[in-house]
Amino acid sequence: MSGSATTSARHRKLRASTIDMDDTESRLLDEGEISLNKKAVYEPSIPQRCRQLVCSRGWAITILVLMGLFLVLIAIIASFARPQPTVCPDVSQIKQSDTSPTTTPAPQYISTNGQSFPWKHLKLPRSVIPVSYDIHMHPNISEQTFKGKVTILADVAEATDFIVFHIKDLKIPHFSVQSKKSGQTILTSEYLEYKHAEQFYIKLKVKLQRGEQIQLDVTFEGQLIEKLSGFYRSVYKTLSGEERAIATTHFEPTDARAAFPCFDEPEFKAMFTMNMVRDGSHISLFNMPLRQTEPLGGNGLVVDRFEESVKMSTYLVAFVICDYANISKTMDNGVKVTVYTPPEQIDQAQFALEGAVKALKYYNDFFGVPYPLPKQDLVAVPDFAAGAMENWGLIIYRMTAILYDEKVSSLANKQWVAVVVAHELAHQWFGNLVTMEWWDDLWLNEGFASYVEYIGADVIQHDFAMQDQFVLEVQSAMYLDSFSNSHPIHVPVNDPSQINEIFDKISYSKGASILHMLATFLGEDNFKSGLTAYLKKHKYGNARTNDLWAALQEASHDIGVDVTAIMDTWTKQMGYPVVTLAKQNGQLVLTQEHFLLNSQAVDDSGEFTSPYSYKWYIPFSMTTSVNSGSATTVWMNMSSVSIPYPEGITWIKGNPNVTGFYRVNYDSDMWKMISQQLLADHKVFTAADRAGYIDDAFTLVRAGKLSLKTALDLTKYLEKETDYIPWRTAIDNLNFIEHLIYYKEIFSTYKKYMLKLINPLVTSLGWKDTGSHLQRFLRGHILHLGVDLGNKEVIAKGKELFQKWKTDPASLSPNLKNVVYKAGVENGDEADWQFCWDQYNATNVPSEKAKLLNAMTYTKDVRQIELYLGYSLDKLKVRSQDSISVITGLASSPSGQLRAWRFLEQNYDELYKRYGVGSFQFPNLVKGVTGSFRTEFDYNEVKSFFSTREVGSAKRAVQQTLEKINMNINWMKNHEQEITDWLKENAS
Ligand code: BES
Ligand code: ZN
């Protein structure tokens, strides 16, 4: 069906969870979207239900008194049941938490022993502030356990007689508190653990005074299992089939506490030292360089002692124990850059190493602050939830985001490596040196890195044409932000599942887009000097969004714009405007309104209300046929504006090159002129502008603000379009329609029309893997579409190349693999599928593994689909990091869609347990499986299923997916006739 090939423009971010990073291959439908009051999604909560019970006042009081007495009794029993610790208590009865599905009930503040937990906040108190951590860690990889001790030096900022810090899934056999000055032990009277908030509370017998320093020693024990967060185990196989285990970490956002007890909030910056016990046959890595290694006992164990870190947040701490090989390069300024990979894959590390050196060197100048650590390690880890993680000096990557094999991997794979390397290195400044104060400003980290990754990747390899591709980033953000269940960039978050939830397109792509807009209207130089000032002012500290605005304001006073006032309208309210252009009495009237896909949704009906009544400060710019080279900009200050109508023009392009985060609508005469110009000579517009027209038109149709005919008329010129960017935009938009009409009679006419559009390109591009970077991307997409639409020659050629590949793998160009695998698997038999499976297991090129894993989702054989769904949760067959991509990949084909949904329903407990709370991938699962449903029956089924389930970090995703289904239903209601008529008229 519909270009499963093509959904990915919408999903560029956090593609870690997709199987392959090729543009053509990520099939995640991670485009959620729709309006439904969230209250309707959930059953009444217990308090709500209780309110419905009616009883007399007297009875109520009696019941309350009895309940109170009962609670007191329980507390008394509990406190007698457990000996009260004093100094160095034996607390081994605090056990590992069980791993049953974590639910997110309202906080009850009940400790593990039944006693009330005295600290009633998710954030820690600010009375005790950590200054340094000395971590001693002893992992036992084969026994899958670790134990250790942390010594935390802390300042007392306010007098207090208790200490609260974080732990998660750790046993605490011992702890002690000492006064740093006197060295004397401070007696403790009580300790409690509260699992829900992942907190540990120690009550002291004396009050600590402000200005004192204390030393907190805590021993801990944990499990080193394959779980993708905290301190965990990961296994790879050598070519001879031998299994090798490594131990590694992933802490962001809230899992440092699962590796060692700590004050696990970004604001608590401290210095870290590490002593790591390891086997002599391994190496260990930490954020900082190794200082010395000493033998430990006589049994082959040694201890690695590392240099002390700079002041940093806990979520950036990392360590790895492995048996890897490495390659390295020392930069002119002495910083040593090293890539670590399993020994048999080190030959795939060269591109990442060179790229990292180039980008680091560039960023040193760009940010105006030198990279402060003596080394930067890049480590490839076989099981990794994200694409990569920016731990300071020790960046950890998923294999596909760092390894590149010229002979086997595609250019899209190569670009992905460059982008991820550039992104994580940008974080070394934005995120690591200056960190958001709290997760509600996550966008400062991720939006920024997503903006700078284009600059960095461009430096790594200029012919990737990264800047041309930025418009796709903007489009993907605008799409999600058109939902009434979107959220503002700045969003309140409290618990781990809410924090995980905002690693989404709004924080990433919208964040990047509004920075791009800001850089454009401030000018690159002002923007850069503002950034440098911000980094210098807040280095080794924390900042909020306003601090960035203040620095940029200061740097651009010559322009006379109020950065904070302008940008607040973009970060503090969700959504964005559509600017409508109309000719009235010789004037060009520009009006703005909140753009919503679902026109029935009412502003403010959802979770958020706008403090600005959904009005924005828009730097509206435009070009016209008489001044196509230079843009005119007018500010729309939360209002409408009129300017003289530019006489004698034949067309207008609002938001040229899509530098602003807004859409543009024109009156019908203007749209007609645009359409005519595109047909007559589309090259008068830039590729980004052609893409802009197409994306605006089709999205405006979906919102009921433009006739479908107008948008479809625009597509006629595509017969002559040879550029990737507008084609990519068109494919994404048409894909939406294709999908909706797939089961309708008119679909065959649609195919005819589409084939007419793409056939000139099919012929001119051919099957020879030549041309520019973006032309090669385009070839992949067009041929892929050819297979989807049933172009017989394309399918035949694809099948032929697939059979040839089976006997001679080197015969197939890496950039054609996706389409050839698709043609082969979709039209192949069980043996073809099995061949892919065997290749998947045999290859040691991660990008190839990912391509094959994705290719196998194209099968139409229902038996194979069921088998593969089963494999997706079998850890011996599919890595946990890839399961969601397999399931959503299968869900995006007509034969797999309902089976994947049934599978999700049947296996929900397992899926929730694996990904529900601590994973940013969970929303992708929900949206990927259900987002393309299109009937009321589906809507009700999805709604009723999730209304009785815990949804963890997919809470907003459920709302968005319901909104999306609702829109799908409405689109068909409103447009079926229109599209049928139009296609009948235009297909031949
Ligand atoms: N800081 C994130 C990693 C992360 C993601 C941690 C989600 C916790 C939850 C990292 O910098 C990141 O954004 N990685 C991206 C790659 C990037 C090129 C968009 C990813 O993992 O996809
Ligand atoms: Zn990031």
Side-chain angles (χ1 to χ4, degrees), residues 252 388 390 423-424 427 445-446 449-450 503 508:
E252 191 182 17
E390 68 265 24
H423 178 104
E424 305 309 335
H427 274 312
N445 271 15
E446 297 303 349
S450 299
F503 284 81
Y508 280 73

Side-chain angles (χ1 to χ4, degrees), residues 417-428:
V417 172
V419 164
V420 182
V421 166
H423 178 104
E424 305 309 335
L425 287 174
H427 274 312
Q428 308 298 300

Side-chain angles (χ1 to χ4, degrees), residues 34-44 485 901 904-905 908 926 929-931 933 935-951 954-955 957-966 969:
I34 307 217
S35 140
L36 191 92
N37 186 323
K38 78 172 190 287
K39 282 190 215 99
V41 183
Y42 297 97
E43 283 216 313
N485 283 299
W901 166 236
L904 182 150
E905 290 183 293
Y908 192 77
V926 172
V929 173
T930 61
F933 285 161
T935 67
E936 257 160 64
F937 180 85
D938 297 332
Y939 178 91
N940 291 331
E941 198 172 276
V942 173
K943 186 176 161 189
S944 95
F945 178 80
F946 286 111
S947 68
T948 55
R949 300 294 189 296
E950 287 295 336
V951 289
K955 188 169 165 191
V958 170
Q959 295 159 2
Q960 289 169 344
T961 213
L962 287 169
E963 186 171 349
K964 171 86 188 305
I965 300 171
N966 203 4
I969 298 167

